[in-house]
Every structure is written in structure tokens, then in C-alpha cells.
Coordinates of all heavy atoms in Angstrom, one line a residue:
D18 N 213.2 35.8 175.4 CA 212.9 34.4 175.0 C 211.9 34.3 173.9 O 211.7 33.2 173.3 CB 212.4 33.6 176.2 CG 213.5 33.4 177.2 OD1 214.6 32.9 176.9 OD2 213.3 33.8 178.4
I19 N 211.1 35.4 173.6 CA 210.2 35.4 172.5 C 210.3 36.7 171.7 O 211.0 37.6 172.1 CB 208.7 35.2 173.0 CG1 208.3 36.3 173.9 CG2 208.5 33.8 173.6 CD1 206.8 36.3 174.2
A20 N 209.6 36.7 170.6 CA 209.6 37.9 169.7 C 208.1 38.3 169.4 O 207.2 37.5 169.6 CB 210.3 37.6 168.4
A21 N 207.9 39.5 169.0 CA 206.6 40.0 168.5 C 206.8 41.1 167.5 O 207.8 41.7 167.5 CB 205.8 40.4 169.7
Q22 N 205.7 41.3 166.8 CA 205.7 42.4 165.8 C 206.0 43.7 166.5 O 205.5 44.0 167.6 CB 204.3 42.5 165.2 CG 204.1 43.7 164.3 CD 204.9 43.8 163.1 OE1 205.5 42.9 162.6 NE2 205.1 45.0 162.6
S23 N 206.9 44.5 166.0 CA 207.2 45.8 166.6 C 207.6 46.9 165.6 O 208.2 47.9 165.9 CB 208.4 45.6 167.6 OG 209.6 45.3 167.0
V24 N 207.3 46.7 164.3 CA 207.6 47.6 163.2 C 206.4 48.0 162.5 O 205.5 47.1 162.2 CB 208.7 47.1 162.3 CG1 209.0 48.1 161.1 CG2 210.0 46.7 163.0
S25 N 206.2 49.3 162.2 CA 205.0 49.7 161.5 C 203.7 49.3 162.3 O 202.7 48.8 161.7 CB 204.9 49.2 160.1 OG 206.1 49.7 159.4
Y26 N 203.7 49.5 163.6 CA 202.6 49.1 164.4 C 201.6 50.2 164.5 O 202.0 51.3 164.9 CB 203.2 48.8 165.8 CG 202.4 47.7 166.6 CD1 202.7 46.4 166.4 CD2 201.4 48.1 167.4 CE1 202.0 45.4 167.1 CE2 200.7 47.1 168.1 CZ 201.0 45.8 168.0 OH 200.3 44.8 168.6
P27 N 200.4 50.0 164.1 CA 199.4 51.2 164.1 C 198.9 51.4 165.5 O 198.5 50.5 166.2 CB 198.3 50.7 163.2 CG 198.4 49.2 163.2 CD 199.8 48.8 163.5
V28 N 198.9 52.7 165.9 CA 198.3 53.1 167.2 C 197.5 54.3 167.0 O 197.7 55.1 166.0 CB 199.4 53.3 168.3 CG1 200.2 52.1 168.6 CG2 200.3 54.5 167.9
V29 N 196.6 54.6 167.9 CA 195.8 55.8 167.8 C 196.1 56.6 169.1 O 196.0 56.1 170.2 CB 194.3 55.5 167.7 CG1 193.5 56.8 167.7 CG2 194.0 54.7 166.5
A30 N 196.6 57.8 168.9 CA 196.9 58.7 170.0 C 196.2 60.1 169.8 O 196.4 60.7 168.7 CB 198.4 58.9 170.2
N31 N 195.4 60.5 170.7 CA 194.7 61.8 170.5 C 193.9 61.8 169.3 O 193.8 62.8 168.6 CB 195.6 63.0 170.6 CG 196.3 63.1 171.9 OD1 195.7 62.8 173.0 ND2 197.6 63.4 171.9
G32 N 193.3 60.7 168.9 CA 192.4 60.6 167.7 C 193.2 60.5 166.4 O 192.6 60.5 165.3
I33 N 194.5 60.4 166.5 CA 195.3 60.4 165.3 C 196.0 59.0 165.2 O 196.6 58.5 166.1 CB 196.4 61.4 165.3 CG1 195.8 62.8 165.4 CG2 197.3 61.3 164.1 CD1 196.8 63.9 165.7
T34 N 195.8 58.3 164.0 CA 196.4 57.0 163.8 C 197.8 57.3 163.2 O 198.0 58.1 162.3 CB 195.6 56.2 162.8 OG1 194.3 56.0 163.3 CG2 196.3 54.8 162.5
M35 N 198.8 56.6 163.9 CA 200.2 56.7 163.4 C 200.9 55.4 163.5 O 200.4 54.4 164.1 CB 200.9 57.8 164.3 CG 201.0 57.4 165.8 SD 201.7 58.7 166.8 CE 200.3 59.8 167.0
S36 N 202.0 55.3 162.9 CA 202.8 54.1 162.9 C 204.0 54.3 163.8 O 204.7 55.2 163.7 CB 203.3 53.8 161.4 OG 204.0 52.6 161.4
V37 N 204.2 53.3 164.7 CA 205.3 53.4 165.7 C 206.1 52.0 165.6 O 205.7 51.1 165.0 CB 204.8 53.7 167.1 CG1 204.2 55.1 167.1 CG2 203.8 52.6 167.6
A38 N 207.2 52.0 166.4 CA 208.0 50.8 166.4 C 208.7 50.7 167.8 O 208.8 51.6 168.5 CB 209.0 50.8 165.3
G39 N 209.1 49.4 168.1 CA 210.0 49.2 169.2 C 209.3 48.3 170.2 O 208.2 47.7 170.1
T40 N 210.0 48.1 171.4 CA 209.5 47.2 172.4 C 208.3 47.7 173.0 O 207.5 46.9 173.6 CB 210.6 47.0 173.5 OG1 211.0 48.2 174.0 CG2 211.8 46.2 172.9
S41 N 208.0 49.0 172.9 CA 206.8 49.6 173.4 C 205.6 49.0 172.7 O 204.4 49.2 173.1 CB 206.8 51.1 173.3 OG 207.8 51.6 174.1
C42 N 205.8 48.4 171.5 CA 204.7 47.7 170.8 C 204.7 46.3 171.1 O 203.7 45.7 171.3 CB 204.9 47.9 169.3 SG 205.0 49.6 168.7
A43 N 205.9 45.6 171.0 CA 206.0 44.2 171.1 C 205.6 43.7 172.5 O 204.9 42.7 172.6 CB 207.5 43.8 170.8
S44 N 206.0 44.4 173.6 CA 205.7 43.9 174.9 C 204.2 43.9 175.2 O 203.7 42.9 175.7 CB 206.5 44.8 176.0 OG 207.8 44.6 175.8
P45 N 203.5 45.0 175.0 CA 202.0 44.9 175.3 C 201.3 43.9 174.3 O 200.3 43.3 174.8 CB 201.5 46.3 175.0 CG 202.7 47.2 174.7 CD 203.9 46.3 174.6
C46 N 201.8 43.7 173.1 CA 201.2 42.8 172.2 C 201.3 41.4 172.8 O 200.4 40.6 172.9 CB 201.9 42.8 170.9 SG 201.3 41.6 169.7
S47 N 202.5 41.0 173.2 CA 202.8 39.7 173.8 C 202.0 39.5 175.1 O 201.4 38.5 175.4 CB 204.3 39.5 174.1 OG 205.0 39.5 172.9
G48 N 202.0 40.6 175.9 CA 201.3 40.5 177.2 C 199.8 40.3 177.0 O 199.1 39.5 177.7
G49 N 199.2 40.9 175.9 CA 197.8 40.8 175.6 C 197.5 39.4 175.2 O 196.5 38.8 175.5
I50 N 198.4 38.8 174.4 CA 198.2 37.4 173.9 C 198.2 36.4 175.1 O 197.3 35.6 175.2 CB 199.3 37.0 172.9 CG1 199.1 37.7 171.6 CG2 199.3 35.5 172.7 CD1 200.3 37.6 170.6
F51 N 199.1 36.6 176.0 CA 199.2 35.7 177.2 C 198.0 36.0 178.2 O 197.5 35.1 178.8 CB 200.5 35.7 177.9 CG 201.6 35.1 177.0 CD1 202.5 35.8 176.4 CD2 201.6 33.7 176.9 CE1 203.5 35.2 175.6 CE2 202.5 33.1 176.0 CZ 203.5 33.9 175.4
G52 N 197.5 37.2 178.2 CA 196.4 37.5 179.0 C 195.1 36.8 178.4 O 194.3 36.3 179.2
L53 N 195.0 36.9 177.1 CA 193.8 36.2 176.5 C 193.9 34.7 176.7 O 192.9 34.0 176.9 CB 193.8 36.5 175.0 CG 193.4 37.9 174.6 CD1 193.6 38.2 173.1 CD2 191.9 38.2 175.0
L54 N 195.2 34.1 176.6 CA 195.3 32.7 176.9 C 194.9 32.3 178.3 O 194.3 31.3 178.5 CB 196.8 32.3 176.6 CG 197.2 32.3 175.1 CD1 198.7 32.2 175.0 CD2 196.6 31.1 174.4
N55 N 195.3 33.2 179.3 CA 194.9 32.9 180.7 C 193.4 33.0 180.8 O 192.8 32.2 181.5 CB 195.6 33.9 181.6 CG 197.0 33.4 182.0 OD1 197.2 32.2 182.1 ND2 197.8 34.3 182.4
D56 N 192.8 34.0 180.1 CA 191.3 34.1 180.2 C 190.7 32.8 179.7 O 189.7 32.3 180.3 CB 190.9 35.3 179.4 CG 189.4 35.6 179.5 OD1 188.9 35.7 180.7 OD2 188.7 35.6 178.5
A57 N 191.2 32.3 178.5 CA 190.6 31.1 177.9 C 190.8 29.9 178.9 O 189.9 29.1 179.0 CB 191.2 30.8 176.6
R58 N 191.9 29.9 179.5 CA 192.2 28.8 180.5 C 191.3 28.8 181.7 O 190.7 27.8 182.1 CB 193.7 28.8 180.9 CG 194.7 28.4 179.8 CD 196.1 28.5 180.3 NE 196.4 27.6 181.4 CZ 196.7 26.3 181.2 NH1 196.8 25.8 180.0 NH2 196.9 25.6 182.3
F59 N 191.1 30.0 182.2 CA 190.1 30.2 183.4 C 188.7 29.8 183.0 O 188.0 29.1 183.7 CB 190.2 31.6 183.9 CG 191.4 32.0 184.6 CD1 191.9 33.3 184.5 CD2 192.2 31.1 185.3 CE1 193.1 33.7 185.1 CE2 193.3 31.5 186.0 CZ 193.8 32.8 185.9
S60 N 188.3 30.2 181.8 CA 187.0 29.8 181.3 C 186.8 28.3 181.1 O 185.7 27.8 181.2 CB 186.7 30.5 179.9 OG 186.6 31.9 180.1
A61 N 187.9 27.6 180.9 CA 187.9 26.2 180.7 C 188.1 25.4 182.0 O 188.3 24.2 182.1 CB 188.9 25.7 179.7
G62 N 188.2 26.2 183.2 CA 188.4 25.6 184.5 C 189.9 25.2 184.7 O 190.2 24.4 185.6
K63 N 190.8 25.8 183.9 CA 192.2 25.5 184.1 C 192.9 26.6 184.9 O 192.3 27.6 185.2 CB 192.9 25.4 182.8 CG 192.4 24.3 181.9 CD 193.1 24.3 180.5 CE 192.7 23.2 179.6 NZ 193.4 23.2 178.3
T64 N 194.1 26.3 185.4 CA 194.9 27.3 186.1 C 195.6 28.3 185.1 O 195.6 28.0 183.9 CB 196.0 26.6 186.9 OG1 196.9 25.9 186.1 CG2 195.4 25.7 188.0
S65 N 196.1 29.3 185.6 CA 196.9 30.3 184.8 C 198.2 29.7 184.3 O 198.6 28.6 184.8 CB 197.2 31.6 185.6 OG 198.2 31.3 186.5
L66 N 198.7 30.3 183.3 CA 200.0 29.8 182.7 C 201.1 30.0 183.7 O 202.1 29.2 183.7 CB 200.3 30.5 181.4 CG 199.4 30.2 180.2 CD1 199.6 31.2 179.1 CD2 199.6 28.8 179.8
G67 N 201.0 30.9 184.6 CA 202.1 31.2 185.6 C 203.4 31.6 184.9 O 203.4 32.3 183.9
F68 N 204.5 31.3 185.5 CA 205.8 31.6 185.0 C 206.0 31.0 183.6 O 205.9 29.7 183.5 CB 206.9 31.1 185.9 CG 208.3 31.4 185.4 CD1 208.7 32.7 185.1 CD2 209.2 30.4 185.3 CE1 210.0 33.0 184.7 CE2 210.5 30.6 184.9 CZ 210.9 31.9 184.6
L69 N 206.1 31.8 182.5 CA 206.0 31.3 181.2 C 207.2 30.5 180.6 O 207.0 29.6 179.8 CB 205.7 32.4 180.2 CG 204.4 33.2 180.4 CD1 204.4 34.4 179.5 CD2 203.3 32.3 180.1
N70 N 208.4 30.7 181.1 CA 209.5 30.1 180.4 C 209.5 28.6 180.4 O 209.7 28.0 179.3 CB 210.8 30.6 181.1 CG 211.3 31.9 180.5 OD1 210.5 32.6 179.9 ND2 212.5 32.3 180.7
P71 N 209.2 27.9 181.5 CA 209.1 26.4 181.4 C 208.1 25.9 180.4 O 208.4 25.0 179.6 CB 208.8 26.0 182.8 CG 209.2 27.1 183.7 CD 209.0 28.3 182.9
M72 N 207.0 26.6 180.3 CA 205.9 26.2 179.4 C 206.4 26.5 177.9 O 206.2 25.6 177.0 CB 204.6 26.9 179.7 CG 203.5 26.6 178.7 SD 203.4 27.5 177.2 CE 203.2 29.1 177.7
L73 N 207.0 27.6 177.7 CA 207.4 28.0 176.4 C 208.5 27.0 175.8 O 208.4 26.6 174.7 CB 208.0 29.4 176.3 CG 206.9 30.5 176.6 CD1 207.6 31.9 176.7 CD2 205.9 30.5 175.4
Y74 N 209.5 26.7 176.7 CA 210.6 25.8 176.2 C 210.1 24.4 176.0 O 210.6 23.7 175.2 CB 211.8 25.9 177.1 CG 212.6 27.2 176.8 CD1 212.3 28.4 177.4 CD2 213.6 27.1 175.9 CE1 213.1 29.5 177.2 CE2 214.4 28.2 175.6 CZ 214.1 29.4 176.2 OH 214.8 30.6 175.9
A75 N 209.1 24.0 176.8 CA 208.6 22.6 176.6 C 207.6 22.5 175.4 O 207.3 21.4 175.0 CB 207.8 22.2 177.9
N76 N 207.2 23.7 174.9 CA 206.2 23.7 173.8 C 206.6 24.7 172.7 O 205.8 25.4 172.1 CB 204.8 24.1 174.3 CG 204.3 23.2 175.3 OD1 203.8 22.1 175.0 ND2 204.4 23.5 176.6
A77 N 207.9 24.6 172.4 CA 208.5 25.6 171.4 C 207.7 25.5 170.0 O 207.7 26.5 169.3 CB 210.0 25.4 171.2
A78 N 207.2 24.4 169.7 CA 206.5 24.2 168.4 C 205.2 25.1 168.4 O 204.6 25.3 167.3 CB 206.1 22.7 168.2
A79 N 204.7 25.5 169.6 CA 203.5 26.4 169.6 C 203.9 27.9 169.4 O 203.0 28.7 169.5 CB 202.9 26.2 171.0
L80 N 205.1 28.1 169.0 CA 205.5 29.5 168.6 C 205.8 29.5 167.1 O 206.2 28.5 166.6 CB 206.6 30.0 169.5 CG 206.2 30.3 170.9 CD1 206.6 29.1 171.8 CD2 206.9 31.5 171.4
N81 N 205.8 30.7 166.5 CA 206.1 30.9 165.1 C 207.6 31.1 165.1 O 208.1 32.2 165.5 CB 205.4 32.1 164.5 CG 203.9 31.9 164.6 OD1 203.4 30.9 164.2 ND2 203.2 32.9 165.1
D82 N 208.4 30.2 164.6 CA 209.8 30.3 164.5 C 210.2 31.3 163.5 O 209.8 31.3 162.3 CB 210.5 28.9 164.2 CG 212.0 28.9 164.3 OD1 212.5 29.9 164.9 OD2 212.6 27.9 163.9
C83 N 211.0 32.3 163.9 CA 211.5 33.4 163.0 C 212.8 33.0 162.5 O 213.8 32.8 163.3 CB 211.6 34.7 163.7 SG 210.0 35.2 164.5
T84 N 213.0 32.8 161.2 CA 214.2 32.2 160.6 C 214.9 33.1 159.6 O 215.9 32.7 159.1 CB 213.9 30.9 159.9 OG1 213.0 31.1 158.9 CG2 213.4 29.8 160.9
Q85 N 214.4 34.3 159.4 CA 215.1 35.2 158.5 C 215.4 36.5 159.2 O 214.7 37.0 160.0 CB 214.2 35.5 157.3 CG 213.8 34.2 156.5 CD 212.9 34.5 155.4 OE1 212.3 35.6 155.3 NE2 212.8 33.6 154.4
G86 N 216.5 37.1 158.7 CA 216.9 38.4 159.2 C 218.1 38.4 160.1 O 218.6 37.3 160.5
V87 N 218.7 39.6 160.3 CA 219.9 39.8 161.1 C 219.7 41.0 161.9 O 219.2 42.0 161.5 CB 221.1 39.9 160.2 CG1 222.4 40.2 161.0 CG2 221.3 38.7 159.3
Q88 N 220.0 40.9 163.2 CA 220.0 42.1 164.1 C 221.2 43.0 163.7 O 222.3 42.5 163.5 CB 220.2 41.6 165.5 CG 220.3 42.8 166.5 CD 220.7 42.3 167.9 OE1 221.3 41.3 168.0 NE2 220.5 43.1 168.9
G89 N 220.9 44.3 163.6 CA 222.0 45.2 163.3 C 223.1 45.2 164.4 O 222.7 45.2 165.6
G90 N 224.3 45.2 164.0 CA 225.4 45.2 164.9 C 226.0 46.6 165.0 O 225.4 47.6 164.5
C91 N 227.1 46.8 165.7 CA 227.7 48.1 165.9 C 228.7 48.3 164.7 O 229.3 47.4 164.2 CB 228.5 48.1 167.2 SG 227.4 47.9 168.6
S92 N 228.8 49.6 164.3 CA 229.8 50.0 163.3 C 229.6 49.3 162.0 O 230.6 48.9 161.4 CB 231.2 49.9 163.9 OG 231.4 50.6 165.0
G93 N 228.4 49.0 161.6 CA 228.2 48.3 160.3 C 228.4 46.8 160.3 O 228.4 46.2 159.3
V94 N 228.8 46.2 161.5 CA 229.1 44.8 161.6 C 227.7 44.1 161.8 O 226.9 44.5 162.6 CB 230.0 44.5 162.7 CG1 230.2 43.0 162.9 CG2 231.3 45.2 162.5
D95 N 227.5 43.0 161.1 CA 226.3 42.2 161.3 C 226.2 41.7 162.7 O 227.2 41.3 163.3 CB 226.2 41.0 160.3 CG 225.8 41.4 158.9 OD1 225.3 42.5 158.8 OD2 226.0 40.5 158.0
G96 N 225.0 41.7 163.3 CA 224.8 41.2 164.6 C 224.4 39.7 164.5 O 224.9 39.0 163.6
F97 N 223.5 39.3 165.4 CA 223.1 37.9 165.4 C 222.1 37.6 164.3 O 221.1 38.4 164.1 CB 222.4 37.6 166.8 CG 223.3 37.8 167.9 CD1 223.2 38.9 168.8 CD2 224.3 36.8 168.2 CE1 224.1 39.1 169.8 CE2 225.2 37.0 169.3 CZ 225.1 38.1 170.1
P98 N 222.2 36.5 163.7 CA 221.2 36.1 162.6 C 220.0 35.3 163.3 O 220.2 34.7 164.3 CB 222.0 35.1 161.7 CG 223.0 34.5 162.7 CD 223.3 35.6 163.7
A99 N 218.9 35.4 162.6 CA 217.7 34.6 163.0 C 218.0 33.3 162.3 O 218.2 33.2 161.1 CB 216.4 35.2 162.5
V100 N 217.8 32.2 163.1 CA 218.1 30.8 162.5 C 216.9 29.9 163.0 O 216.1 30.3 163.9 CB 219.4 30.2 163.0 CG1 220.6 31.1 162.4 CG2 219.5 30.1 164.5
E101 N 216.9 28.7 162.5 CA 215.9 27.8 162.9 C 216.1 27.4 164.3 O 217.2 27.2 164.8 CB 216.0 26.5 162.0 CG 214.8 25.5 162.3 CD 214.8 24.4 161.3 OE1 215.3 24.5 160.2 OE2 214.4 23.3 161.7
G102 N 215.0 27.3 165.1 CA 215.0 27.1 166.5 C 215.3 28.3 167.3 O 215.2 29.4 166.8
W103 N 215.8 28.2 168.5 CA 216.2 29.4 169.3 C 217.3 30.1 168.7 O 218.3 29.5 168.2 CB 216.5 28.9 170.7 CG 216.8 30.1 171.7 CD1 215.8 30.7 172.5 CD2 218.0 30.8 171.8 NE1 216.4 31.7 173.1 CE2 217.7 31.8 172.8 CE3 219.3 30.7 171.3 CZ2 218.7 32.7 173.2 CZ3 220.2 31.6 171.7 CH2 219.9 32.6 172.6
D104 N 217.2 31.4 168.8 CA 218.4 32.3 168.4 C 218.3 33.6 169.2 O 217.3 33.9 169.9 CB 218.3 32.6 166.9 CG 217.1 33.4 166.4 OD1 216.9 34.5 166.9 OD2 216.3 32.8 165.7
A105 N 219.5 34.3 169.2 CA 219.6 35.4 170.1 C 218.8 36.6 169.6 O 218.6 37.6 170.4 CB 221.1 35.8 170.2
V106 N 218.3 36.6 168.4 CA 217.5 37.7 167.9 C 216.0 37.6 168.3 O 215.4 38.5 168.8 CB 217.6 37.8 166.4 CG1 216.8 39.0 165.9 CG2 219.0 38.0 166.0
T107 N 215.4 36.4 168.1 CA 214.0 36.2 168.3 C 213.6 35.2 169.3 O 212.4 34.8 169.5 CB 213.3 35.9 166.9 OG1 213.8 34.6 166.5 CG2 213.5 36.9 165.9
G108 N 214.6 34.6 170.0 CA 214.4 33.6 171.0 C 213.7 32.4 170.4 O 214.2 31.9 169.3
L109 N 212.6 32.0 170.9 CA 211.9 30.8 170.4 C 210.9 31.2 169.2 O 210.5 30.3 168.5 CB 211.0 30.2 171.5 CG 211.8 29.5 172.6 CD1 210.8 29.2 173.8 CD2 212.6 28.3 172.2
G110 N 210.7 32.5 169.1 CA 209.8 32.9 168.0 C 208.6 33.7 168.6 O 208.7 34.2 169.7
S111 N 207.6 34.0 167.8 CA 206.5 34.8 168.2 C 205.3 33.9 168.7 O 205.2 32.8 168.1 CB 206.0 35.7 167.1 OG 205.6 35.0 166.0
P112 N 204.6 34.3 169.7 CA 203.5 33.5 170.2 C 202.4 33.2 169.1 O 202.0 34.1 168.4 CB 202.9 34.4 171.3 CG 203.8 35.4 171.6 CD 204.7 35.6 170.4
N113 N 202.0 32.0 169.0 CA 200.9 31.6 168.1 C 199.7 31.3 169.0 O 199.6 30.2 169.6 CB 201.3 30.3 167.3 CG 200.3 29.8 166.4 OD1 199.1 29.9 166.6 ND2 200.7 29.2 165.3
Y114 N 198.8 32.2 169.1 CA 197.7 32.1 170.0 C 196.9 30.8 169.8 O 196.7 30.1 170.8 CB 196.7 33.3 169.8 CG 195.5 33.2 170.6 CD1 195.5 33.6 172.0 CD2 194.3 32.7 170.1 CE1 194.4 33.6 172.8 CE2 193.1 32.7 170.9 CZ 193.2 33.1 172.2 OH 192.1 33.0 173.0
T115 N 196.6 30.4 168.6 CA 195.8 29.2 168.4 C 196.6 28.0 168.9 O 196.0 27.1 169.5 CB 195.4 29.1 166.9 OG1 194.8 30.2 166.5 CG2 194.6 27.8 166.7
A116 N 197.8 27.9 168.6 CA 198.6 26.7 169.0 C 198.8 26.7 170.5 O 198.7 25.7 171.2 CB 200.0 26.7 168.3
L117 N 199.0 27.9 171.1 CA 199.2 28.0 172.6 C 197.9 27.7 173.3 O 198.0 27.3 174.5 CB 199.7 29.3 173.0 CG 201.2 29.5 172.6 CD1 201.6 31.0 172.7 CD2 202.1 28.7 173.5
L118 N 196.7 27.8 172.7 CA 195.5 27.4 173.4 C 195.4 25.9 173.7 O 194.8 25.5 174.6 CB 194.3 27.8 172.5 CG 193.7 29.1 172.5 CD1 192.6 29.3 171.5 CD2 193.1 29.4 173.9
E119 N 196.2 25.2 172.9 CA 196.2 23.7 173.1 C 197.1 23.2 174.1 O 197.2 22.0 174.5 CB 196.5 23.0 171.7 CG 195.6 23.4 170.6 CD 194.1 23.1 170.9 OE1 193.9 22.0 171.4 OE2 193.3 23.9 170.6
V120 N 197.9 24.1 174.7 CA 199.0 23.7 175.7 C 198.3 23.6 177.0 O 197.5 24.3 177.4 CB 200.1 24.8 175.7 CG1 201.0 24.5 176.9 CG2 200.8 24.8 174.4

């Protein structure tokens, strides 16, 4: 339902900085953003975000809509395109921490 940076992601392993890619980057990045949002909510006396999908779909403008690019398909065939609004490649878009703080 959402997207996150997952290409040329800098990590440090065994003291060596390297560039990696994939959901192993995007998932913890998104999880960290929502963890920080929950921390800010707790500090403000609010409840946790809980199950995210209802909140995300009700506040899609609080995400960065990804509108360019195409997911690679099989055998050289184009896959799904990124379009305005929800799409099969990036969902609603990437989390915008500042905008989601206001939700």
C-alpha cells in the first residue's frame, strides 16, 4: 500500500559502508518512520496509529505520490506504470513524516 526508497541505500556492515537495494531497505525505513510517528503521538498524549491502512487511505495526501516509472515485467514486457493516485507499483506513495505528524 506504500513505497519507500530501496535503491542505492547506504548501510554500514562490519565497519564498511556499502550500497544495497530491495525490500530489506524499504521495509525498515518505513517501519522506522511509523515508529517515530507513534513516539511523537505518545509524547503528545495521543494513541498509537494502530492498523495503518484505514489511516493511510483516509489521508492519502499525507504521502508523497510517486507518478513516474514502470515496474519491470516478464520477458521484456512493461509491467505496471506509476500513475497519479494509487497504483500497483507504489500504492499510495512514500510516507511524508512531516505531513503524517498532522494526522
Side-chain angles (χ1 to χ4, degrees):
D18 292 304
I19 62 171
Q22 169 66 21
S23 65
V24 177
S25 299
Y26 212 87
V28 298
V29 178
N31 298 319
I33 300 169
T34 302
M35 61 186 80
S36 182
V37 298
T40 55
S41 296
C42 304
S44 295
C46 176
S47 295
I50 290 169
F51 289 107
L53 289 170
L54 288 166
N55 274 332
D56 185 56
R58 290 178 63 84
F59 291 146
S60 294
K63 298 179 180 178
T64 62
S65 72
L66 292 169
F68 179 56
L69 294 175
N70 279 16
M72 181 276 297
L73 292 172
Y74 280 89
N76 297 281
L80 288 98
N81 301 307
D82 191 11
C83 304
T84 60
Q85 297 178 347
V87 177
Q88 175 193 21
C91 299
S92 303
V94 176
D95 282 346
F97 297 104
V100 297
E101 188 174 329
W103 184 93
D104 59 68
V106 180
T107 63
L109 295 170
S111 63
N113 180 328
Y114 177 80
T115 304
L117 287 167
L118 273 175
E119 303 303 318
V120 171

